[in-house]
Amino acid sequence: MPVFVNSSPSNKKQILIVDDEPSILKLLNFILSPIYQVFTVTSGYNAHLWLEEGNMPDLIISDMNMPHFDGQSFMKSIKISGFYRDIPLVILSAAEDLDNIVSEMPFTVEAYLPKPFNPQVLKNKISEILSEDYVQQ
């Protein structure tokens, strides 16, 4: 049974983080939970289970390289869904040649950052995407 971590109930904007590395999940929770309500899951499959429970995050951060149901497959399933396609996606990945991978995707992601990442750059990008006047490029 998947374990979903909720940083704390509030009326903060919600971020779902999908990554198979526990250390990355803990780090992102530490960095983002003072500002956002953070939920973490360890796979695209678990992310779908969380979404199917009726949860609707304001933004999803996903790794690309995960076992069983990789990040690209998960994100594609989100973008073709009638319910979830408007949720902004941010890729945070150590994948080789991330620029080319993103440019060849059949859908748009709002941002992508290579691992290791600068926490302040990530927080700024999330803030920009979640702002009222954000316009997708």
Side-chain angles (χ1 to χ4, degrees), residues 7-104:
S7 60
S8 66
S10 72
N11 42 355
K12 297 177 182 177
K13 291 201 181 255
Q14 295 183 356
I15 296 180
L16 173 62
I17 302 170
V18 187
D19 200 304
D20 62 325
E21 290 293 326
S23 60
I24 294 293
L25 294 175
K26 286 179 185 176
L27 176 63
L28 289 171
N29 189 50
F30 177 78
I31 292 167
L32 299 174
S33 63
I35 308 164
Y36 305 103
Q37 188 175 12
V38 175
F39 299 88
T40 61
V41 294
T42 57
S43 71
Y45 176 76
N46 290 342
H48 267 290
L49 290 177
W50 186 82
L51 290 167
E52 288 171 4
E53 289 178 350
N55 297 299
M56 185 65 77
D58 297 291
L59 182 128
I60 297 172
I61 298 172
S62 182
D63 187 12
M64 293 288 292
N65 300 321
M66 296 181 285
H68 311 299
F69 192 42
D70 67 47
Q72 189 165 352
S73 298
F74 165 67
M75 290 181 275
K76 182 178 180 183
S77 70
I78 292 298
K79 287 300 186 180
I80 62 173
S81 164
F83 292 113
Y84 310 119
R85 75 172 141 237
D86 294 328
I87 299 172
L89 294 175
V90 174
I91 296 173
L92 192 60
S93 182
E96 295 286 321
D97 205 12
L98 191 55
D99 290 328
N100 282 341
I101 292 170
V102 171
S103 70
E104 293 175 5

